[in-house]
């Protein structure tokens, strides 16, 4: 199929590289003698198909008030330099998902005044530089959730004068992202949402309130929005009704399946949380500092990457019905670095909520941070000796004189990462040793001996 298209394109380019299609007007803007930006205008009612003979160096193509009813696959493939495509006030009812192939330079796409009941949002993946999308005065009745995936670069979106009733939460998150997900200041977006049949619900009311806040990233072309309740009557969403309609919003509530999880090195673990709220909340995961950087052990350098929260991307989330969403994060082949606090955050237009899950990893892996030996002399002092394992910690300090012919000792036992008991067998100073052993009943423990 691609080979046939390629042959047709090459044929057209050779025959009409600089000719103007029939029933169209071609002009060079900003230049003379064939230079400047080439613009093609076709506004003949007798035209019923997309012309294939426009000059290959066309920058702007306008097809207006024609009888064109459909846009076929790869309709503009040979116009690789095209930046502005206006298909306004025609009779277009269908657009192929691959209509915009090879339009990598396209910045503006206008489809106002047609008869579109659906739009191929996935086709926008072929227009990575698109900034302006006009769908004013069509017959769109719904916006799919996946539309948000193909609109990150669009800063001007006109959906006015359609038949839209609801906005998916994914679009609201795109227009008003969580502060923690912003790598740079949020882009300001101009939205046309007026003259639709919105339902009086949380999303549209919250968006209206957001647009009126100082420094908002959302600018509405017209803030006079109307909505209808289930009873069928219509009202205007004005200043006096925004707060009243927001009572339908429900802040998220998060409930983890378990608040503490303990597993062994090399095993696989799944952490799950469930959330409720309206609009349906979106879930995200972060990992806080490692478990061995808590009360028992403190790192002097708080800029260590392992002590900073990390946003986790590898998780799944599903919404079985409106107002409910769950998410699972899978950790395979656990290492001691996986131990720590995981936080599941739920967010919607009404607010945020989060819940922690503590993961402990048990194992015999050991890291020695310091081992200092002091001389056997009166008044000598021992520097701290620290040992870190997979969630288990022991540390100790000893000093003093050793009696002739005798050895004193201090033993610190730790179970599960925190000191459990301390015993002293005399005074002494010398080498320190941190060892691990497996107790037949108590499991793993740590021991620090000073003598």
């Amino acid at each position: 199929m691609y080979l046939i298209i390629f042959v047709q394109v090459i044929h057209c380019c050779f025959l009409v590289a600089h000719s103007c299609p029939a029933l169209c007007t071609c002009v060079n803007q900003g230049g003379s003698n064939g230079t400047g930006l080439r613009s093609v205008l076709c506004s003949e009612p007798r035209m019923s198909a997309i012309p294939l003979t426009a000059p290959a160096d066309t920058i702007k193509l306008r097809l207006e008030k024609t009888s064109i009813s459909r846009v076929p696959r790869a309709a503009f493939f040979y116009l690789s330099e095209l930046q502005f495509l206006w298909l306004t006030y025609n009779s277009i009812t269908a657009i192929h998902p691959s209509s915009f192939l090879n339009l990598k330079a396209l910045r503006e796409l206008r489809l106002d005044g047609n008869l579109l009941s659906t739009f191929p949002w996935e086709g926008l993946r072929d227009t990575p530089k698109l900034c302006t999308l006009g769908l004013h005065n069509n017959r769109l009745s719904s916006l799919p959730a996946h539309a948000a995936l193909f609109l990150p670069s669009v800063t001007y979106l006109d959906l006015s004068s359609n038949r839209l009733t609801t906005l998916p939460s994914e679009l609201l998150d795109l227009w008003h992202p969580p502060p923690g997900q912003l790598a740079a200041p949020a882009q300001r977006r101009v939205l046309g949402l007026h003259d639709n049949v919105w339902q009086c619900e949380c999303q549209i009311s919250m968006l209206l309130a957001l647009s009126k806040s100082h420094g908002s990233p959302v600018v509405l072309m017209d803030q006079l929005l109307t909505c209808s309740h289930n009873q069928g009557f219509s009202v205007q969403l004005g200043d006096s009704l925004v707060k009243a309609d927001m009572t339908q919003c429900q802040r998220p509530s998060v409930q983890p399946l378990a608040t503490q999880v303990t597993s062994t090195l090399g095993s696989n673990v799944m952490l799950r949380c469930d959330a409720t709220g309206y609009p349906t909340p979106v879930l995200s995961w972060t990992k806080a500092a490692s478990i061995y950087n808590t009360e028992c052990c403190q790192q002097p350098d708080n800029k260590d990457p392992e002590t900073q929260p990390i946003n986790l991307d590898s998780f799944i989330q599903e919404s079985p019905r409106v107002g409910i969403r769950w998410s699972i994060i899978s950790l395979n082949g656990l290492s001691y670095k996986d131990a720590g606090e995981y936080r599941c955050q739920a967010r919607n237009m009404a607010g945020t909520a989060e819940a922690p899950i503590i993961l402990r990893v048990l194992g015999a892996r050991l890291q020695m941070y310091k081992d200092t030996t002091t001389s056997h002399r009166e008044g000598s002092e021992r520097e701290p000796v620290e040992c870190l394992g997979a969630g288990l910690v022991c540390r100790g300090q000893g000093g003093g004189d050793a009696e002739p012919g005798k050895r004193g000792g201090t033993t610190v036992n730790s179970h599960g990462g925190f000191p459990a008991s301390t015993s002293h067998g005399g005074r002494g100073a010398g080498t320190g040793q941190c060892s691990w052993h497996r107790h037949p009943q108590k499991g793993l423990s740590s021991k620090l001996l000073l003598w």
Side-chain angles (χ1 to χ4, degrees), residues 1-9:
M1 177 62 72
Y2 282 104
L3 181 59
I4 296 175
I5 294 174
F6 180 76
V7 172
Q8 291 177 343
V9 169

Side-chain angles (χ1 to χ4, degrees), residues 38-55:
R38 189 179 296 274
S39 177
V40 178
L41 171 62
C42 307
S43 58
E44 173 57 55
R46 293 177 296 168
M47 179 175 288
S48 60
I50 302 291
L52 298 177
T53 58

Side-chain angles (χ1 to χ4, degrees), residues 5-54:
I5 294 174
F6 180 76
V7 172
Q8 291 177 343
V9 169
I10 295 298
H11 178 71
C12 292
C13 290
F14 274 107
L15 291 179
V16 290
H18 297 287
S19 62
C20 192
L23 307 178
C24 298
T25 301
C26 298
V27 297
N28 292 318
Q29 297 178 338
S32 59
N33 298 325
T35 63
L37 302 180
R38 189 179 296 274
S39 177
V40 178
L41 171 62
C42 307
S43 58
E44 173 57 55
R46 293 177 296 168
M47 179 175 288
S48 60
I50 302 291
L52 298 177
T53 58

Side-chain angles (χ1 to χ4, degrees), residues 231-291:
Q231 292 83 354
F233 61 89
S234 297
V235 297
Q236 286 186 348
L237 284 179
D239 290 335
S240 61
L241 294 177
V242 170
K243 293 183 179 179
D245 289 334
M246 284 175 60
T247 59
Q248 301 181 44
C249 302
Q250 178 184 353
R251 290 179 62 88
S253 175
V254 183
Q255 181 62 48
L257 187 63
T259 58
Q260 295 192 24
V261 178
T262 302
S263 191
T264 57
L265 280 172
S267 61
N268 301 331
V269 167
M270 289 193 302
L271 308 179
R272 170 170 174 158
C273 71
D274 297 82
T276 59
Y278 189 81
T280 304
V282 176
L283 300 179
S284 60
W285 289 84
T286 59
K287 182 180 183 296
S290 300
I291 196 170

Side-chain angles (χ1 to χ4, degrees), residues 363-434:
R365 181 166 183 172
L366 175 65
Q367 289 187 349
M368 183 72 73
Y369 281 80
K370 184 183 296 184
D371 189 357
T372 304
T373 302
T374 60
S375 61
H376 292 265
R377 66 177 183 272
E378 184 176 354
S380 61
E381 292 292 335
R382 161 174 297 285
E383 295 185 16
V385 180
E386 302 181 4
C387 301
L388 297 182
L392 301 176
V393 180
C394 65
R395 61 167 61 186
Q397 180 173 338
D401 297 328
E403 298 181 10
K406 295 184 179 181
R407 293 190 304 175
T410 300
T411 301
V412 181
N413 292 309
S414 175
H415 301 275
F418 299 94
S421 63
T422 302
S423 62
H424 183 66
R427 296 178 301 161
T431 62
Q433 179 181 358
C434 184

Side-chain angles (χ1 to χ4, degrees), residues 116-143:
L116 293 171
S117 58
T118 60
F119 179 77
W121 301 97
E122 62 275 16
L124 298 182
R125 65 164 58 96
D126 297 315
T127 60
K129 294 185 178 181
L130 189 68
C131 299
T132 298
L133 176 59
L135 290 165
H136 166 75
N137 194 18
N138 276 276
R139 299 179 178 179
L140 301 177
S141 59
S142 65
L143 289 173

Side-chain angles (χ1 to χ4, degrees), residues 1-2 5 70-77 96-101:
M1 177 62 72
Y2 282 104
I5 294 174
R70 56 184 297 271
V71 182
R73 176 188 177 92
F76 313 98
F77 189 88
H96 193 279
S98 299
S99 294
F100 309 120
L101 279 173

